[in-house]
Amino acid sequence: MRTSFKRATEAQRKEYLADDIAAVSDEVKKIADSGDLTMAKILKLQFLLGDIKFKAEVVAGRREH
């Protein structure tokens, strides 16, 4: 089972962040290839990118978790 981001080590947090970025990239490619862009998909991407931004700020030391 994966450790929560809050309890993860610095190395694990960086790994989680990389995994999240890869997942968003895959999602964007899937949407672009299908040509089916709906409001729900835009909101999903917005949420995923917001989560990545938060995690990146934590890893960079600009925000406390």
PDB file of all heavy atoms in Angstrom, residues 28 39 53 65:
ATOM      1  N   VAL A  28      -4.221  14.002 -20.835  1.00  0.00           N
ATOM      2  CA  VAL A  28      -4.270  15.036 -21.872  1.00  0.00           C
ATOM      3  C   VAL A  28      -4.115  14.406 -23.256  1.00  0.00           C
ATOM      4  O   VAL A  28      -4.844  14.757 -24.190  1.00  0.00           O
ATOM      5  CB  VAL A  28      -3.186  16.116 -21.634  1.00  0.00           C
ATOM      6  CG1 VAL A  28      -3.046  17.030 -22.833  1.00  0.00           C
ATOM      7  CG2 VAL A  28      -3.500  16.917 -20.382  1.00  0.00           C
ATOM      8  N   MET A  39     -16.755  19.615 -20.522  1.00  0.00           N
ATOM      9  CA  MET A  39     -16.521  20.401 -19.310  1.00  0.00           C
ATOM     10  C   MET A  39     -16.056  19.505 -18.169  1.00  0.00           C
ATOM     11  O   MET A  39     -15.181  19.885 -17.391  1.00  0.00           O
ATOM     12  CB  MET A  39     -17.793  21.154 -18.908  1.00  0.00           C
ATOM     13  CG  MET A  39     -17.583  22.060 -17.726  1.00  0.00           C
ATOM     14  SD  MET A  39     -16.293  23.297 -17.960  1.00  0.00           S
ATOM     15  CE  MET A  39     -17.163  24.499 -18.913  1.00  0.00           C
ATOM     16  N   LYS A  53       0.214  21.045  -8.363  1.00  0.00           N
ATOM     17  CA  LYS A  53       0.785  22.327  -7.932  1.00  0.00           C
ATOM     18  C   LYS A  53       1.008  22.323  -6.422  1.00  0.00           C
ATOM     19  O   LYS A  53       2.073  22.727  -5.943  1.00  0.00           O
ATOM     20  CB  LYS A  53      -0.138  23.477  -8.330  1.00  0.00           C
ATOM     21  CG  LYS A  53       0.380  24.822  -7.893  1.00  0.00           C
ATOM     22  CD  LYS A  53      -0.592  25.935  -8.243  1.00  0.00           C
ATOM     23  CE  LYS A  53      -0.083  27.255  -7.699  1.00  0.00           C
ATOM     24  NZ  LYS A  53      -1.077  28.304  -7.805  1.00  0.00           N
ATOM     25  N   HIS A  65       2.743  20.932   4.635  1.00  0.00           N
ATOM     26  CA  HIS A  65       1.646  19.983   4.413  1.00  0.00           C
ATOM     27  C   HIS A  65       0.950  19.709   5.702  1.00  0.00           C
ATOM     28  O   HIS A  65       1.397  19.693   6.740  1.00  0.00           O
ATOM     29  CB  HIS A  65       2.168  18.683   3.830  1.00  0.00           C
ATOM     30  CG  HIS A  65       1.068  17.798   3.349  1.00  0.00           C
ATOM     31  ND1 HIS A  65       0.307  17.065   4.181  1.00  0.00           N
ATOM     32  CD2 HIS A  65       0.579  17.568   2.120  1.00  0.00           C
ATOM     33  CE1 HIS A  65      -0.587  16.389   3.495  1.00  0.00           C
ATOM     34  NE2 HIS A  65      -0.443  16.676   2.238  1.00  0.00           N
TER      35      HIS A  65
END
